[in-house]
Amino acid sequence: MSAQPVDPFPEPPRTPDDVAAALPPAQRMEFYREIGTATEETISGVLRRWRLRIRLYQTPDPGERMLREHQDGTRPGLPATAALRTATEARGR
């Protein structure tokens, strides 16, 4: 059995009703308002913009993730104090 890759960004919904269903309730009415006032020329842009927003809503806040990694001690890189100490020592040589 082979492992299947996990797509972090599955294909977003394509129809207006599917887009609305994937949105948080607070955003749904704004979406319907924009779709209702869109013209034949602008409706695809409205759908595309809201499909991108769905990805943002489904993606965890990077700031929250970075804070959690920092608190857990799993954040990659040096702490700022260590980086400053290294830079200060290098300058003093």
Side-chain angles (χ1 to χ4, degrees):
M1 176 183 271
S2 65
Q4 297 295 319
V6 176
D7 184 4
F9 298 110
E11 183 64 28
R14 301 198 65 75
T15 68
D17 285 340
D18 291 341
V19 169
L23 288 169
Q27 302 296 318
R28 208 166 287 146
M29 287 310 296
E30 183 180 349
F31 167 73
Y32 278 130
R33 186 172 27 77
E34 284 190 35
I35 283 293
T37 59
T39 66
E40 183 179 346
E41 293 82 20
T42 62
I43 196 163
S44 64
V46 171
L47 277 172
R48 189 174 10 229
R49 185 172 56 255
W50 281 95
R51 288 174 67 208
L52 290 172
R53 285 187 185 182
I54 289 170
R55 283 198 175 173
L56 290 174
Y57 293 133
Q58 292 172 343
T59 304
D61 178 15
E64 288 178 15
R65 187 191 73 229
M66 290 186 326
L67 176 61
R68 188 173 51 253
E69 289 172 349
H70 176 72
Q71 290 170 338
D72 295 344
T74 58
R75 182 91 186 127
L78 290 174
T81 54
L84 287 171
R85 184 174 38 253
T86 303
T88 303
E89 289 171 358
R91 194 176 317 144
R93 291 181 189 163

mmCIF file of all heavy atoms in Angstrom, residues 17-69:
data_model
loop_
_atom_site.group_PDB
_atom_site.id
_atom_site.type_symbol
_atom_site.label_atom_id
_atom_site.label_comp_id
_atom_site.label_asym_id
_atom_site.label_seq_id
_atom_site.Cartn_x
_atom_site.Cartn_y
_atom_site.Cartn_z
ATOM 1 N N ASP A 17 -23.659 28.383 -4.982
ATOM 2 C CA ASP A 17 -24.221 27.759 -3.777
ATOM 3 C C ASP A 17 -23.160 26.998 -2.985
ATOM 4 O O ASP A 17 -23.156 27.018 -1.749
ATOM 5 C CB ASP A 17 -25.371 26.817 -4.145
ATOM 6 C CG ASP A 17 -26.639 27.568 -4.513
ATOM 7 O OD1 ASP A 17 -26.769 28.757 -4.135
ATOM 8 O OD2 ASP A 17 -27.501 26.970 -5.179
ATOM 9 N N ASP A 18 -22.243 26.324 -3.686
ATOM 10 C CA ASP A 18 -21.170 25.605 -2.989
ATOM 11 C C ASP A 18 -20.202 26.567 -2.318
ATOM 12 O O ASP A 18 -19.703 26.297 -1.230
ATOM 13 C CB ASP A 18 -20.417 24.693 -3.961
ATOM 14 C CG ASP A 18 -21.262 23.514 -4.428
ATOM 15 O OD1 ASP A 18 -22.268 23.188 -3.766
ATOM 16 O OD2 ASP A 18 -20.909 22.925 -5.473
ATOM 17 N N VAL A 19 -19.914 27.682 -2.972
ATOM 18 C CA VAL A 19 -19.042 28.701 -2.379
ATOM 19 C C VAL A 19 -19.697 29.233 -1.112
ATOM 20 O O VAL A 19 -19.067 29.320 -0.057
ATOM 21 C CB VAL A 19 -18.751 29.842 -3.372
ATOM 22 C CG1 VAL A 19 -18.074 31.018 -2.675
ATOM 23 C CG2 VAL A 19 -17.879 29.345 -4.522
ATOM 24 N N ALA A 20 -20.974 29.567 -1.190
ATOM 25 C CA ALA A 20 -21.683 30.101 -0.023
ATOM 26 C C ALA A 20 -21.681 29.096 1.124
ATOM 27 O O ALA A 20 -21.481 29.467 2.287
ATOM 28 C CB ALA A 20 -23.108 30.470 -0.405
ATOM 29 N N ALA A 21 -21.874 27.816 0.819
ATOM 30 C CA ALA A 21 -21.894 26.788 1.862
ATOM 31 C C ALA A 21 -20.536 26.649 2.546
ATOM 32 O O ALA A 21 -20.464 26.293 3.725
ATOM 33 C CB ALA A 21 -22.329 25.448 1.266
ATOM 34 N N ALA A 22 -19.453 26.922 1.821
ATOM 35 C CA ALA A 22 -18.107 26.778 2.385
ATOM 36 C C ALA A 22 -17.668 28.000 3.189
ATOM 37 O O ALA A 22 -16.669 27.941 3.901
ATOM 38 C CB ALA A 22 -17.104 26.520 1.262
ATOM 39 N N LEU A 23 -18.402 29.099 3.083
ATOM 40 C CA LEU A 23 -18.032 30.330 3.790
ATOM 41 C C LEU A 23 -18.541 30.322 5.220
ATOM 42 O O LEU A 23 -19.561 29.707 5.520
ATOM 43 C CB LEU A 23 -18.631 31.546 3.070
ATOM 44 C CG LEU A 23 -18.003 31.907 1.744
ATOM 45 C CD1 LEU A 23 -18.866 32.937 1.024
ATOM 46 C CD2 LEU A 23 -16.603 32.435 1.947
ATOM 47 N N PRO A 24 -17.839 31.036 6.104
ATOM 48 C CA PRO A 24 -18.379 31.225 7.446
ATOM 49 C C PRO A 24 -19.698 31.989 7.347
ATOM 50 O O PRO A 24 -19.864 32.839 6.459
ATOM 51 C CB PRO A 24 -17.317 32.074 8.153
ATOM 52 C CG PRO A 24 -16.088 31.954 7.328
ATOM 53 C CD PRO A 24 -16.536 31.661 5.928
ATOM 54 N N PRO A 25 -20.647 31.701 8.221
ATOM 55 C CA PRO A 25 -21.954 32.359 8.138
ATOM 56 C C PRO A 25 -21.871 33.879 8.081
ATOM 57 O O PRO A 25 -22.652 34.519 7.388
ATOM 58 C CB PRO A 25 -22.669 31.891 9.405
ATOM 59 C CG PRO A 25 -22.023 30.586 9.735
ATOM 60 C CD PRO A 25 -20.600 30.716 9.295
ATOM 61 N N ALA A 26 -20.918 34.465 8.774
ATOM 62 C CA ALA A 26 -20.806 35.926 8.796
ATOM 63 C C ALA A 26 -20.448 36.495 7.425
ATOM 64 O O ALA A 26 -20.735 37.657 7.150
ATOM 65 C CB ALA A 26 -19.761 36.354 9.824
ATOM 66 N N GLN A 27 -19.836 35.714 6.559
ATOM 67 C CA GLN A 27 -19.417 36.182 5.247
ATOM 68 C C GLN A 27 -20.427 35.856 4.148
ATOM 69 O O GLN A 27 -20.373 36.407 3.061
ATOM 70 C CB GLN A 27 -18.069 35.558 4.871
ATOM 71 C CG GLN A 27 -16.973 35.861 5.852
ATOM 72 C CD GLN A 27 -16.672 37.343 5.885
ATOM 73 O OE1 GLN A 27 -16.626 37.988 4.857
ATOM 74 N NE2 GLN A 27 -16.476 37.879 7.066
ATOM 75 N N ARG A 28 -21.337 34.944 4.429
ATOM 76 C CA ARG A 28 -22.249 34.435 3.403
ATOM 77 C C ARG A 28 -23.131 35.524 2.790
ATOM 78 O O ARG A 28 -23.296 35.580 1.572
ATOM 79 C CB ARG A 28 -23.106 33.334 4.019
ATOM 80 C CG ARG A 28 -23.574 32.324 3.034
ATOM 81 C CD ARG A 28 -24.128 31.090 3.710
ATOM 82 N NE ARG A 28 -23.025 30.324 4.264
ATOM 83 C CZ ARG A 28 -23.089 29.616 5.382
ATOM 84 N NH1 ARG A 28 -24.202 29.562 6.073
ATOM 85 N NH2 ARG A 28 -22.043 28.958 5.815
ATOM 86 N N MET A 29 -23.705 36.393 3.601
ATOM 87 C CA MET A 29 -24.595 37.424 3.070
ATOM 88 C C MET A 29 -23.845 38.410 2.175
ATOM 89 O O MET A 29 -24.356 38.851 1.151
ATOM 90 C CB MET A 29 -25.308 38.173 4.199
ATOM 91 C CG MET A 29 -26.390 37.354 4.871
ATOM 92 S SD MET A 29 -27.568 36.584 3.734
ATOM 93 C CE MET A 29 -28.332 37.988 2.999
ATOM 94 N N GLU A 30 -22.614 38.735 2.559
ATOM 95 C CA GLU A 30 -21.812 39.627 1.713
ATOM 96 C C GLU A 30 -21.547 38.978 0.352
ATOM 97 O O GLU A 30 -21.616 39.627 -0.684
ATOM 98 C CB GLU A 30 -20.494 39.967 2.404
ATOM 99 C CG GLU A 30 -19.638 40.941 1.639
ATOM 100 C CD GLU A 30 -18.326 41.260 2.335
ATOM 101 O OE1 GLU A 30 -18.141 40.893 3.505
ATOM 102 O OE2 GLU A 30 -17.476 41.872 1.668
ATOM 103 N N PHE A 31 -21.261 37.669 0.372
ATOM 104 C CA PHE A 31 -21.048 36.943 -0.884
ATOM 105 C C PHE A 31 -22.302 36.988 -1.752
ATOM 106 O O PHE A 31 -22.235 37.313 -2.944
ATOM 107 C CB PHE A 31 -20.657 35.487 -0.595
ATOM 108 C CG PHE A 31 -20.710 34.607 -1.798
ATOM 109 C CD1 PHE A 31 -19.754 34.709 -2.797
ATOM 110 C CD2 PHE A 31 -21.733 33.686 -1.959
ATOM 111 C CE1 PHE A 31 -19.812 33.910 -3.924
ATOM 112 C CE2 PHE A 31 -21.799 32.885 -3.082
ATOM 113 C CZ PHE A 31 -20.829 32.994 -4.061
ATOM 114 N N TYR A 32 -23.463 36.671 -1.165
ATOM 115 C CA TYR A 32 -24.710 36.691 -1.942
ATOM 116 C C TYR A 32 -25.010 38.081 -2.489
ATOM 117 O O TYR A 32 -25.510 38.239 -3.597
ATOM 118 C CB TYR A 32 -25.883 36.187 -1.101
ATOM 119 C CG TYR A 32 -25.990 34.685 -1.048
ATOM 120 C CD1 TYR A 32 -26.125 34.019 0.156
ATOM 121 C CD2 TYR A 32 -25.976 33.922 -2.214
ATOM 122 C CE1 TYR A 32 -26.237 32.642 0.211
ATOM 123 C CE2 TYR A 32 -26.083 32.542 -2.172
ATOM 124 C CZ TYR A 32 -26.215 31.909 -0.964
ATOM 125 O OH TYR A 32 -26.321 30.540 -0.917
ATOM 126 N N ARG A 33 -24.679 39.120 -1.711
ATOM 127 C CA ARG A 33 -24.906 40.482 -2.182
ATOM 128 C C ARG A 33 -24.032 40.774 -3.402
ATOM 129 O O ARG A 33 -24.490 41.330 -4.398
ATOM 130 C CB ARG A 33 -24.625 41.486 -1.062
ATOM 131 C CG ARG A 33 -24.986 42.910 -1.421
ATOM 132 C CD ARG A 33 -24.895 43.885 -0.254
ATOM 133 N NE ARG A 33 -23.973 43.594 0.821
ATOM 134 C CZ ARG A 33 -22.639 43.768 0.767
ATOM 135 N NH1 ARG A 33 -22.086 44.220 -0.330
ATOM 136 N NH2 ARG A 33 -21.890 43.484 1.806
ATOM 137 N N GLU A 34 -22.765 40.379 -3.352
ATOM 138 C CA GLU A 34 -21.867 40.614 -4.486
ATOM 139 C C GLU A 34 -22.276 39.801 -5.714
ATOM 140 O O GLU A 34 -22.222 40.302 -6.839
ATOM 141 C CB GLU A 34 -20.417 40.299 -4.106
ATOM 142 C CG GLU A 34 -19.791 41.356 -3.245
ATOM 143 C CD GLU A 34 -18.292 41.140 -3.075
ATOM 144 O OE1 GLU A 34 -17.634 40.669 -4.032
ATOM 145 O OE2 GLU A 34 -17.799 41.442 -1.985
ATOM 146 N N ILE A 35 -22.669 38.558 -5.503
ATOM 147 C CA ILE A 35 -23.112 37.721 -6.631
ATOM 148 C C ILE A 35 -24.380 38.311 -7.239
ATOM 149 O O ILE A 35 -24.549 38.355 -8.456
ATOM 150 C CB ILE A 35 -23.351 36.267 -6.165
ATOM 151 C CG1 ILE A 35 -22.025 35.541 -5.989
ATOM 152 C CG2 ILE A 35 -24.242 35.494 -7.122
ATOM 153 C CD1 ILE A 35 -21.244 35.305 -7.269
ATOM 154 N N GLY A 36 -25.280 38.804 -6.384
ATOM 155 C CA GLY A 36 -26.538 39.351 -6.874
ATOM 156 C C GLY A 36 -26.379 40.622 -7.686
ATOM 157 O O GLY A 36 -27.214 40.924 -8.544
ATOM 158 N N THR A 37 -25.315 41.365 -7.454
ATOM 159 C CA THR A 37 -25.106 42.611 -8.199
ATOM 160 C C THR A 37 -24.077 42.458 -9.320
ATOM 161 O O THR A 37 -23.804 43.421 -10.032
ATOM 162 C CB THR A 37 -24.655 43.744 -7.252
ATOM 163 O OG1 THR A 37 -23.449 43.357 -6.616
ATOM 164 C CG2 THR A 37 -25.738 44.044 -6.219
ATOM 165 N N ALA A 38 -23.505 41.255 -9.462
ATOM 166 C CA ALA A 38 -22.488 41.037 -10.502
ATOM 167 C C ALA A 38 -23.133 40.992 -11.878
ATOM 168 O O ALA A 38 -24.261 40.518 -12.046
ATOM 169 C CB ALA A 38 -21.743 39.734 -10.237
ATOM 170 N N THR A 39 -22.402 41.489 -12.851
ATOM 171 C CA THR A 39 -22.854 41.428 -14.238
ATOM 172 C C THR A 39 -22.272 40.181 -14.897
ATOM 173 O O THR A 39 -21.437 39.487 -14.307
ATOM 174 C CB THR A 39 -22.386 42.669 -15.020
ATOM 175 O OG1 THR A 39 -20.951 42.632 -15.097
ATOM 176 C CG2 THR A 39 -22.849 43.947 -14.364
ATOM 177 N N GLU A 40 -22.671 39.960 -16.113
ATOM 178 C CA GLU A 40 -22.142 38.824 -16.871
ATOM 179 C C GLU A 40 -20.620 38.908 -16.985
ATOM 180 O O GLU A 40 -19.918 37.904 -16.950
ATOM 181 C CB GLU A 40 -22.769 38.808 -18.265
ATOM 182 C CG GLU A 40 -22.360 37.640 -19.114
ATOM 183 C CD GLU A 40 -23.037 37.653 -20.472
ATOM 184 O OE1 GLU A 40 -24.001 38.405 -20.667
ATOM 185 O OE2 GLU A 40 -22.573 36.899 -21.348
ATOM 186 N N GLU A 41 -20.108 40.123 -17.079
ATOM 187 C CA GLU A 41 -18.664 40.317 -17.226
ATOM 188 C C GLU A 41 -17.912 40.169 -15.908
ATOM 189 O O GLU A 41 -16.723 39.850 -15.904
ATOM 190 C CB GLU A 41 -18.360 41.707 -17.813
ATOM 191 C CG GLU A 41 -18.819 41.900 -19.235
ATOM 192 C CD GLU A 41 -20.301 42.251 -19.344
ATOM 193 O OE1 GLU A 41 -20.892 42.710 -18.336
ATOM 194 O OE2 GLU A 41 -20.868 42.050 -20.418
ATOM 195 N N THR A 42 -18.566 40.432 -14.785
ATOM 196 C CA THR A 42 -17.846 40.448 -13.502
ATOM 197 C C THR A 42 -18.095 39.241 -12.614
ATOM 198 O O THR A 42 -17.382 39.055 -11.629
ATOM 199 C CB THR A 42 -18.209 41.710 -12.701
ATOM 200 O OG1 THR A 42 -19.611 41.693 -12.397
ATOM 201 C CG2 THR A 42 -17.842 42.972 -13.469
ATOM 202 N N ILE A 43 -19.067 38.394 -12.941
ATOM 203 C CA ILE A 43 -19.424 37.300 -12.033
ATOM 204 C C ILE A 43 -18.286 36.302 -11.833
ATOM 205 O O ILE A 43 -18.077 35.801 -10.736
ATOM 206 C CB ILE A 43 -20.721 36.593 -12.480
ATOM 207 C CG1 ILE A 43 -21.250 35.753 -11.318
ATOM 208 C CG2 ILE A 43 -20.512 35.782 -13.737
ATOM 209 C CD1 ILE A 43 -22.687 35.348 -11.461
ATOM 210 N N SER A 44 -17.515 36.027 -12.878
ATOM 211 C CA SER A 44 -16.415 35.071 -12.706
ATOM 212 C C SER A 44 -15.348 35.631 -11.766
ATOM 213 O O SER A 44 -14.761 34.898 -10.971
ATOM 214 C CB SER A 44 -15.800 34.675 -14.049
ATOM 215 O OG SER A 44 -15.217 35.797 -14.667
ATOM 216 N N GLY A 45 -15.107 36.939 -11.826
ATOM 217 C CA GLY A 45 -14.149 37.553 -10.907
ATOM 218 C C GLY A 45 -14.628 37.503 -9.464
ATOM 219 O O GLY A 45 -13.840 37.269 -8.549
ATOM 220 N N VAL A 46 -15.932 37.703 -9.268
ATOM 221 C CA VAL A 46 -16.499 37.622 -7.916
ATOM 222 C C VAL A 46 -16.327 36.210 -7.367
ATOM 223 O O VAL A 46 -15.871 36.016 -6.242
ATOM 224 C CB VAL A 46 -17.986 38.040 -7.914
ATOM 225 C CG1 VAL A 46 -18.634 37.758 -6.569
ATOM 226 C CG2 VAL A 46 -18.130 39.511 -8.276
ATOM 227 N N LEU A 47 -16.679 35.215 -8.177
ATOM 228 C CA LEU A 47 -16.521 33.818 -7.732
ATOM 229 C C LEU A 47 -15.063 33.497 -7.438
ATOM 230 O O LEU A 47 -14.734 32.860 -6.425
ATOM 231 C CB LEU A 47 -17.044 32.851 -8.794
ATOM 232 C CG LEU A 47 -18.539 32.608 -8.793
ATOM 233 C CD1 LEU A 47 -18.949 31.788 -10.002
ATOM 234 C CD2 LEU A 47 -18.957 31.919 -7.517
ATOM 235 N N ARG A 48 -14.159 33.916 -8.296
ATOM 236 C CA ARG A 48 -12.729 33.633 -8.105
ATOM 237 C C ARG A 48 -12.223 34.259 -6.802
ATOM 238 O O ARG A 48 -11.529 33.629 -6.019
ATOM 239 C CB ARG A 48 -11.940 34.153 -9.302
ATOM 240 C CG ARG A 48 -10.485 33.718 -9.317
ATOM 241 C CD ARG A 48 -9.780 34.130 -10.583
ATOM 242 N NE ARG A 48 -10.610 34.986 -11.266
ATOM 243 C CZ ARG A 48 -11.056 35.084 -12.534
ATOM 244 N NH1 ARG A 48 -10.741 34.533 -13.281
ATOM 245 N NH2 ARG A 48 -11.853 35.845 -13.109
ATOM 246 N N ARG A 49 -12.605 35.506 -6.553
ATOM 247 C CA ARG A 49 -12.161 36.196 -5.342
ATOM 248 C C ARG A 49 -12.679 35.488 -4.088
ATOM 249 O O ARG A 49 -11.946 35.281 -3.129
ATOM 250 C CB ARG A 49 -12.611 37.650 -5.374
ATOM 251 C CG ARG A 49 -12.089 38.473 -4.225
ATOM 252 C CD ARG A 49 -12.388 39.954 -4.360
ATOM 253 N NE ARG A 49 -13.804 40.260 -4.516
ATOM 254 C CZ ARG A 49 -14.388 40.623 -5.654
ATOM 255 N NH1 ARG A 49 -13.679 40.737 -6.754
ATOM 256 N NH2 ARG A 49 -15.675 40.887 -5.700
ATOM 257 N N TRP A 50 -13.937 35.069 -4.099
ATOM 258 C CA TRP A 50 -14.499 34.401 -2.933
ATOM 259 C C TRP A 50 -13.942 32.993 -2.775
ATOM 260 O O TRP A 50 -13.786 32.512 -1.651
ATOM 261 C CB TRP A 50 -16.020 34.409 -3.000
ATOM 262 C CG TRP A 50 -16.556 35.734 -2.571
ATOM 263 C CD1 TRP A 50 -16.887 36.789 -3.367
ATOM 264 C CD2 TRP A 50 -16.757 36.176 -1.229
ATOM 265 N NE1 TRP A 50 -17.299 37.849 -2.606
ATOM 266 C CE2 TRP A 50 -17.236 37.498 -1.285
ATOM 267 C CE3 TRP A 50 -16.588 35.581 0.008
ATOM 268 C CZ2 TRP A 50 -17.544 38.228 -0.143
ATOM 269 C CZ3 TRP A 50 -16.902 36.305 1.147
ATOM 270 C CH2 TRP A 50 -17.374 37.613 1.064
ATOM 271 N N ARG A 51 -13.611 32.326 -3.865
ATOM 272 C CA ARG A 51 -12.975 31.011 -3.754
ATOM 273 C C ARG A 51 -11.609 31.155 -3.083
ATOM 274 O O ARG A 51 -11.205 30.309 -2.291
ATOM 275 C CB ARG A 51 -12.835 30.376 -5.133
ATOM 276 C CG ARG A 51 -14.186 29.925 -5.696
ATOM 277 C CD ARG A 51 -14.076 29.438 -7.115
ATOM 278 N NE ARG A 51 -13.303 28.206 -7.147
ATOM 279 C CZ ARG A 51 -12.583 27.828 -8.192
ATOM 280 N NH1 ARG A 51 -12.528 28.579 -9.267
ATOM 281 N NH2 ARG A 51 -11.916 26.701 -8.146
ATOM 282 N N LEU A 52 -10.879 32.223 -3.387
ATOM 283 C CA LEU A 52 -9.592 32.460 -2.725
ATOM 284 C C LEU A 52 -9.786 32.751 -1.241
ATOM 285 O O LEU A 52 -8.997 32.321 -0.404
ATOM 286 C CB LEU A 52 -8.845 33.609 -3.403
ATOM 287 C CG LEU A 52 -8.314 33.306 -4.793
ATOM 288 C CD1 LEU A 52 -7.774 34.573 -5.442
ATOM 289 C CD2 LEU A 52 -7.257 32.223 -4.744
ATOM 290 N N ARG A 53 -10.854 33.484 -0.924
ATOM 291 C CA ARG A 53 -11.135 33.756 0.493
ATOM 292 C C ARG A 53 -11.410 32.467 1.256
ATOM 293 O O ARG A 53 -11.016 32.343 2.413
ATOM 294 C CB ARG A 53 -12.327 34.687 0.640
ATOM 295 C CG ARG A 53 -12.018 36.111 0.306
ATOM 296 C CD ARG A 53 -13.207 36.972 0.638
ATOM 297 N NE ARG A 53 -12.965 38.335 0.223
ATOM 298 C CZ ARG A 53 -13.815 39.321 0.426
ATOM 299 N NH1 ARG A 53 -14.960 39.086 1.036
ATOM 300 N NH2 ARG A 53 -13.534 40.531 0.027
ATOM 301 N N ILE A 54 -12.079 31.518 0.617
ATOM 302 C CA ILE A 54 -12.348 30.237 1.279
ATOM 303 C C ILE A 54 -11.035 29.589 1.688
ATOM 304 O O ILE A 54 -10.904 29.060 2.785
ATOM 305 C CB ILE A 54 -13.174 29.310 0.365
ATOM 306 C CG1 ILE A 54 -14.594 29.843 0.251
ATOM 307 C CG2 ILE A 54 -13.181 27.882 0.892
ATOM 308 C CD1 ILE A 54 -15.427 29.155 -0.805
ATOM 309 N N ARG A 55 -10.047 29.640 0.809
ATOM 310 C CA ARG A 55 -8.733 29.084 1.169
ATOM 311 C C ARG A 55 -8.150 29.793 2.379
ATOM 312 O O ARG A 55 -7.562 29.170 3.248
ATOM 313 C CB ARG A 55 -7.768 29.187 -0.004
ATOM 314 C CG ARG A 55 -8.019 28.151 -1.034
ATOM 315 C CD ARG A 55 -6.835 27.992 -1.911
ATOM 316 N NE ARG A 55 -7.089 26.886 -2.825
ATOM 317 C CZ ARG A 55 -6.291 26.575 -3.804
ATOM 318 N NH1 ARG A 55 -5.210 27.267 -4.012
ATOM 319 N NH2 ARG A 55 -6.574 25.555 -4.581
ATOM 320 N N LEU A 56 -8.302 31.096 2.442
ATOM 321 C CA LEU A 56 -7.800 31.831 3.603
ATOM 322 C C LEU A 56 -8.521 31.414 4.879
ATOM 323 O O LEU A 56 -7.906 31.260 5.926
ATOM 324 C CB LEU A 56 -7.953 33.341 3.393
ATOM 325 C CG LEU A 56 -7.050 33.973 2.357
ATOM 326 C CD1 LEU A 56 -7.419 35.434 2.161
ATOM 327 C CD2 LEU A 56 -5.599 33.839 2.777
ATOM 328 N N TYR A 57 -9.832 31.244 4.793
ATOM 329 C CA TYR A 57 -10.596 30.841 5.972
ATOM 330 C C TYR A 57 -10.242 29.427 6.406
ATOM 331 O O TYR A 57 -10.312 29.102 7.577
ATOM 332 C CB TYR A 57 -12.098 30.931 5.705
ATOM 333 C CG TYR A 57 -12.602 32.334 5.508
ATOM 334 C CD1 TYR A 57 -13.447 32.653 4.457
ATOM 335 C CD2 TYR A 57 -12.231 33.362 6.371
ATOM 336 C CE1 TYR A 57 -13.900 33.945 4.260
ATOM 337 C CE2 TYR A 57 -12.678 34.653 6.174
ATOM 338 C CZ TYR A 57 -13.522 34.934 5.126
ATOM 339 O OH TYR A 57 -13.963 36.203 4.945
ATOM 340 N N GLN A 58 -9.860 28.561 5.453
ATOM 341 C CA GLN A 58 -9.523 27.178 5.780
ATOM 342 C C GLN A 58 -8.084 27.024 6.246
ATOM 343 O O GLN A 58 -7.734 26.016 6.828
ATOM 344 C CB GLN A 58 -9.757 26.279 4.565
ATOM 345 C CG GLN A 58 -11.210 26.150 4.202
ATOM 346 C CD GLN A 58 -11.423 25.409 2.891
ATOM 347 O OE1 GLN A 58 -10.504 25.259 2.087
ATOM 348 N NE2 GLN A 58 -12.635 24.951 2.667
ATOM 349 N N THR A 59 -7.249 28.007 5.992
ATOM 350 C CA THR A 59 -5.843 27.944 6.371
ATOM 351 C C THR A 59 -5.677 28.531 7.767
ATOM 352 O O THR A 59 -6.130 29.635 8.022
ATOM 353 C CB THR A 59 -4.978 28.755 5.378
ATOM 354 O OG1 THR A 59 -5.229 28.259 4.069
ATOM 355 C CG2 THR A 59 -3.510 28.641 5.702
ATOM 356 N N PRO A 60 -5.041 27.788 8.669
ATOM 357 C CA PRO A 60 -4.838 28.341 10.003
ATOM 358 C C PRO A 60 -4.019 29.626 9.944
ATOM 359 O O PRO A 60 -3.171 29.799 9.078
ATOM 360 C CB PRO A 60 -4.060 27.256 10.742
ATOM 361 C CG PRO A 60 -4.111 26.048 9.888
ATOM 362 C CD PRO A 60 -4.457 26.477 8.498
ATOM 363 N N ASP A 61 -4.285 30.508 10.869
ATOM 364 C CA ASP A 61 -3.567 31.778 10.950
ATOM 365 C C ASP A 61 -2.084 31.500 11.168
ATOM 366 O O ASP A 61 -1.710 30.862 12.150
ATOM 367 C CB ASP A 61 -4.126 32.604 12.105
ATOM 368 C CG ASP A 61 -3.407 33.927 12.287
ATOM 369 O OD1 ASP A 61 -2.681 34.349 11.372
ATOM 370 O OD2 ASP A 61 -3.581 34.540 13.346
ATOM 371 N N PRO A 62 -1.217 31.965 10.243
ATOM 372 C CA PRO A 62 0.216 31.686 10.409
ATOM 373 C C PRO A 62 0.774 32.295 11.685
ATOM 374 O O PRO A 62 1.682 31.749 12.290
ATOM 375 C CB PRO A 62 0.863 32.291 9.168
ATOM 376 C CG PRO A 62 -0.162 33.144 8.530
ATOM 377 C CD PRO A 62 -1.496 32.729 9.055
ATOM 378 N N GLY A 63 0.232 33.418 12.117
ATOM 379 C CA GLY A 63 0.695 34.021 13.366
ATOM 380 C C GLY A 63 0.397 33.143 14.561
ATOM 381 O O GLY A 63 1.233 32.971 15.454
ATOM 382 N N GLU A 64 -0.785 32.542 14.581
ATOM 383 C CA GLU A 64 -1.143 31.637 15.668
ATOM 384 C C GLU A 64 -0.253 30.404 15.643
ATOM 385 O O GLU A 64 0.191 29.923 16.681
ATOM 386 C CB GLU A 64 -2.608 31.216 15.556
ATOM 387 C CG GLU A 64 -3.587 32.318 15.893
ATOM 388 C CD GLU A 64 -5.021 31.864 15.725
ATOM 389 O OE1 GLU A 64 -5.270 30.650 15.623
ATOM 390 O OE2 GLU A 64 -5.901 32.743 15.694
ATOM 391 N N ARG A 65 0.004 29.868 14.438
ATOM 392 C CA ARG A 65 0.858 28.690 14.314
ATOM 393 C C ARG A 65 2.271 29.007 14.800
ATOM 394 O O ARG A 65 2.870 28.236 15.548
ATOM 395 C CB ARG A 65 0.894 28.214 12.859
ATOM 396 C CG ARG A 65 1.645 26.890 12.711
ATOM 397 C CD ARG A 65 1.925 26.552 11.268
ATOM 398 N NE ARG A 65 2.987 27.438 10.808
ATOM 399 C CZ ARG A 65 2.959 28.147 9.687
ATOM 400 N NH1 ARG A 65 1.947 28.097 8.892
ATOM 401 N NH2 ARG A 65 3.970 28.921 9.354
ATOM 402 N N MET A 66 2.808 30.171 14.401
ATOM 403 C CA MET A 66 4.163 30.539 14.810
ATOM 404 C C MET A 66 4.241 30.726 16.322
ATOM 405 O O MET A 66 5.206 30.300 16.954
ATOM 406 C CB MET A 66 4.615 31.803 14.078
ATOM 407 C CG MET A 66 4.852 31.553 12.608
ATOM 408 S SD MET A 66 5.561 32.917 11.630
ATOM 409 C CE MET A 66 4.902 34.376 12.321
ATOM 410 N N LEU A 67 3.222 31.341 16.923
ATOM 411 C CA LEU A 67 3.206 31.517 18.376
ATOM 412 C C LEU A 67 3.176 30.169 19.078
ATOM 413 O O LEU A 67 3.920 29.940 20.035
ATOM 414 C CB LEU A 67 2.002 32.365 18.798
ATOM 415 C CG LEU A 67 1.820 32.554 20.302
ATOM 416 C CD1 LEU A 67 3.031 33.267 20.909
ATOM 417 C CD2 LEU A 67 0.538 33.327 20.582
ATOM 418 N N ARG A 68 2.332 29.253 18.591
ATOM 419 C CA ARG A 68 2.243 27.922 19.187
ATOM 420 C C ARG A 68 3.582 27.193 19.068
ATOM 421 O O ARG A 68 4.051 26.576 20.032
ATOM 422 C CB ARG A 68 1.125 27.126 18.509
ATOM 423 C CG ARG A 68 0.820 25.811 19.167
ATOM 424 C CD ARG A 68 -0.407 25.118 18.568
ATOM 425 N NE ARG A 68 -0.364 25.004 17.117
ATOM 426 C CZ ARG A 68 -1.094 25.724 16.279
ATOM 427 N NH1 ARG A 68 -1.921 26.636 16.729
ATOM 428 N NH2 ARG A 68 -0.990 25.554 14.971
ATOM 429 N N GLU A 69 4.243 27.277 17.900
ATOM 430 C CA GLU A 69 5.549 26.635 17.714
ATOM 431 C C GLU A 69 6.583 27.240 18.658
ATOM 432 O O GLU A 69 7.419 26.531 19.209
ATOM 433 C CB GLU A 69 6.015 26.777 16.268
ATOM 434 C CG GLU A 69 5.243 25.941 15.287
ATOM 435 C CD GLU A 69 5.613 26.244 13.845
ATOM 436 O OE1 GLU A 69 6.327 27.248 13.590
ATOM 437 O OE2 GLU A 69 5.172 25.489 12.964
#
